[in-house]
Amino acid sequence: THCISSAASDVYKRQAEYFTLTGVFDQARDQLLYARKLLIHDYKQTLIIDQQLKDLNKLKKRMESL
């Protein structure tokens, strides 16, 4: 089960990266949240995703202010 959830979370994280690069920030956030749910028992990965969510929020606000 660990391998499956890890692989699925990798897909969600890659999709989040794609959506971030294309400026679809809400979808990027959703993908990161899906990945976070799968990795809830992996403290390190949860912290990384939390930081990515913070960075995404900052980027979204910067882009909106342009």
Side-chain angles (χ1 to χ4, degrees):
T1 324
H2 175 69
C3 291
I4 293 171
S5 62
S6 179
S9 67
D10 285 345
V11 171
Y12 287 129
K13 289 189 282 184
R14 299 221 187 316
Q15 288 175 331
E17 185 177 350
Y18 169 78
F19 285 126
T20 300
L21 292 172
T22 57
V24 187
F25 301 117
D26 292 336
Q27 281 291 330
R29 183 196 66 235
D30 291 347
Q31 297 300 312
L32 286 172
L33 290 172
Y34 296 147
R36 192 182 189 288
K37 285 180 188 177
L38 291 174
L39 297 170
I40 195 70
H41 299 294
D42 187 333
Y43 182 70
K44 182 180 175 186
Q45 286 300 313
T46 301
L47 288 178
I48 291 169
I49 291 173
D50 287 346
Q51 185 60 51
Q52 290 173 321
L53 286 164
K54 289 176 189 175
D55 294 343
L56 180 64
N57 192 39
K58 288 179 188 176
L59 178 60
K60 180 180 177 185
K61 286 181 180 181
R62 269 201 329 235
M63 295 302 287
E64 289 172 346
S65 70
L66 293 178

